[in-house]
Amino acid sequence: MGFTEKLLTVLPPIEVAGRHIKRYHVTTDPAGIEPDVEKAAYAILPELLPEPDGTPPATFVVLHRGGDDGAYLNAYSWVWDNVLHFKGAAAGQPVLGCPDRDPAHFITPELPWIGCVWELPPILHERDAWVRHLLAPEAPDLNAYLTDSLPEGTTGDRT
């Protein structure tokens, strides 16, 4: 079986637990991620966020619906001015310790993994956007960062 890129959808930012959350969804289904899976993922999101440390409270998430029963939520939060904090959740994937195959039953496995090949493309964009809008300018601009997202399309082939 050959490798195929997946669809990448960008949703408007939301606020959760005092943090601004930029959202990316990854799936093979053009209809997007099922509403019950999305709702369950965002319900566990507060557990994935770090405590405030004075860094502008910004996070980006990648919600990935696998081709099987799996669903994955990766939360990447900016801390200590220029460091990316990671915590993830998974559902429907017994290999990761999930108790069942329900893609809306999220747990927080303690694995040192930061994402699969379809979940990683936003990281480079978000790094560059953080530098562009918060680290490089004379006056940091959180709102400009929140509106600067990777374009929708696929997870790869971005020439």
Side-chain angles (χ1 to χ4, degrees), residues 135-155:
L135 299 180
E138 190 76 24
D141 189 346
L142 181 60
N143 288 330
Y145 169 75
L146 295 173
T147 61
D148 186 342
S149 294
L150 187 63
E152 289 189 354
T154 64
T155 51

Side-chain angles (χ1 to χ4, degrees), residues 109-132:
E110 293 298 323
L111 295 169
W113 302 349
I114 65 165
C116 74
V117 296
W118 295 288
E119 298 161 355
L120 296 177
I123 292 175
L124 178 58
H125 175 86
E126 292 300 322
R127 178 261 183 217
D128 291 346
W130 190 256
V131 169
R132 193 169 35 253

Side-chain angles (χ1 to χ4, degrees), residues 13-24 45 48-61 74-87 126-127 129-131 133-134 140-148:
I14 58 174
E15 192 170 323
V16 174
R19 293 188 77 84
H20 301 280
I21 313 292
K22 294 172 73 171
R23 302 182 296 157
Y24 295 97
L45 182 55
L48 308 180
L49 302 175
E51 292 295 319
D53 70 351
T55 302
T59 295
F60 62 97
V61 298
N74 297 341
Y76 305 96
S77 300
W78 291 105
V79 297
W80 204 33
D81 276 340
N82 59 15
V83 173
L84 203 52
H85 170 279
F86 170 79
K87 189 148 186 189
E126 292 300 322
R127 178 261 183 217
W130 190 256
V131 169
H133 300 296
L134 282 109
D141 189 346
L142 181 60
N143 288 330
Y145 169 75
L146 295 173
T147 61
D148 186 342

Side-chain angles (χ1 to χ4, degrees), residues 50-75:
E51 292 295 319
D53 70 351
T55 302
T59 295
F60 62 97
V61 298
V62 178
L63 177 56
H64 177 190
R65 185 67 167 92
D68 54 10
D69 294 330
Y72 314 94
L73 180 65
N74 297 341

Side-chain angles (χ1 to χ4, degrees), residues 4-9 24-34 62-67 70 118-119 153-155:
T4 304
E5 295 291 354
K6 293 188 179 183
L7 301 173
L8 179 76
T9 305
Y24 295 97
H25 286 187
V26 173
T27 183
T28 58
D29 187 347
I33 294 176
E34 304 97 315
V62 178
L63 177 56
H64 177 190
R65 185 67 167 92
W118 295 288
E119 298 161 355
T154 64
T155 51

